Amino acid sequence: MTYEMPKLPYANNALEPVISQQTIDFHYGKHLQTYVNNLNDLVPGTNFEGKTLEQIVELAPDGAIFNNAGQILNHQLYFLQFTPSQKSAIPTGKLAEAINKEFGSFENFKKEFKDASTSLFGSGWSWLSQDKNGKLVITKETNGSNPVRSGLNPILGFDVWEHAYYLDYQNRRADHIDALWKIIDWDVVEKRMK
Ligand code: MN
């Protein structure tokens, strides 16, 4: 199996001013491309040949194969959850119901998600996932890990590696988190629910 780049459903400058073209050019075009190239170099000849990204992230021991597969899976979920023209600025349908049930309100969910994102020390990701019973949970993952490693179903992820925001926001991670809500495609997030 050859691991491929996800195709962006928007132009590289379409998420401005929340995410600049320069950041997409580097983050998608350089960082993600490197993870894809690395994994395609690393997997042949190992027992991960023919495995999906999810299978590798679930099964691989800590190390280069796990790190690169995790980061490809993370960035696929990340880049495909954005839209330049929000059809709805807030979750609707069963996603809205689940958020209200678990977090009380959309505003409180955003606060808890921001707290997770800003309190993560170093490089990593904050995620909204479903557990085995479909209940929504917010978790933090360090470096390149992904919630599927813990048996969760990730539906929304914020990348808090500095490469995701430093060109546009420098050290202001919290401002970047606040801005990301403006480009989330909630229909995409809802469709990821099982
Ligand atoms: Mn990244």
Side-chain angles (χ1 to χ4, degrees):
M1 179 189 295
T2 303
Y3 301 95
E4 311 264 5
M5 290 284 282
K7 197 163 165 29
L8 295 183
Y10 44 78
N12 284 23
N13 65 357
L15 302 180
E16 293 187 343
V18 176
I19 302 175
S20 70
Q21 173 167 355
Q22 189 185 27
T23 289
I24 295 287
D25 287 347
F26 277 94
H27 193 190
Y28 172 82
K30 304 287 187 192
H31 288 273
L32 177 53
Q33 183 70 63
T34 300
Y35 298 130
V36 170
N37 294 346
N38 287 346
L39 193 66
N40 283 321
D41 287 343
L42 287 163
V43 162
T46 72
N47 55 6
F48 294 104
E49 256 182 341
K51 296 275 193 290
T52 65
L53 294 170
E54 287 84 355
Q55 289 170 325
I56 296 175
V57 173
E58 281 172 26
L59 300 171
D62 289 341
I65 288 180
F66 167 68
N67 288 338
N68 285 282
Q71 282 291 70
I72 301 169
L73 181 60
N74 289 338
H75 288 88
Q76 281 185 355
L77 290 162
Y78 178 78
F79 284 115
L80 299 181
Q81 74 194 356
F82 295 135
T83 176
S85 54
Q86 279 187 313
K87 291 182 285 293
S88 60
I90 57 170
T92 56
K94 67 177 182 178
L95 175 60
E97 283 172 30
I99 286 174
N100 289 335
K101 181 173 173 222
E102 213 51 56
F103 304 102
S105 66
F106 181 52
E107 286 308 311
N108 190 57
F109 157 70
K110 285 197 292 185
K111 181 184 173 300
E112 290 193 25
F113 201 83
K114 182 181 178 182
D115 287 347
S117 304
T118 52
S119 64
L120 195 154
F121 186 75
S123 294
W125 294 77
S126 50
W127 292 98
L128 178 66
S129 302
Q130 291 177 293
D131 71 10
K132 292 258 187 274
N133 301 315
K135 181 172 128 67
L136 293 181
V137 289
I138 295 172
T139 61
K140 298 188 263 193
E141 299 282 344
T142 54
N143 299 320
S145 194
N146 180 284
V148 302
R149 199 157 175 84
S150 316
L152 300 173
N153 174 42
I155 62 172
L156 176 76
F158 282 9
D159 186 347
V160 297
W161 286 55
E162 285 187 344
H163 70 217
Y165 60 87
Y166 211 83
L167 292 172
D168 301 331
Y169 299 83
Q170 293 78 49
N171 62 318
R172 293 175 287 112
R173 184 191 287 184
D175 291 349
H176 174 64
I177 302 302
D178 286 340
L180 283 180
W181 301 118
K182 296 177 191 153
I183 56 170
I184 302 297
D185 189 331
W186 292 107
D187 294 338
V188 168
V189 177
E190 185 178 7
K191 286 195 182 88
R192 292 172 176 170
M193 294 175 79
K194 289 180 177 163

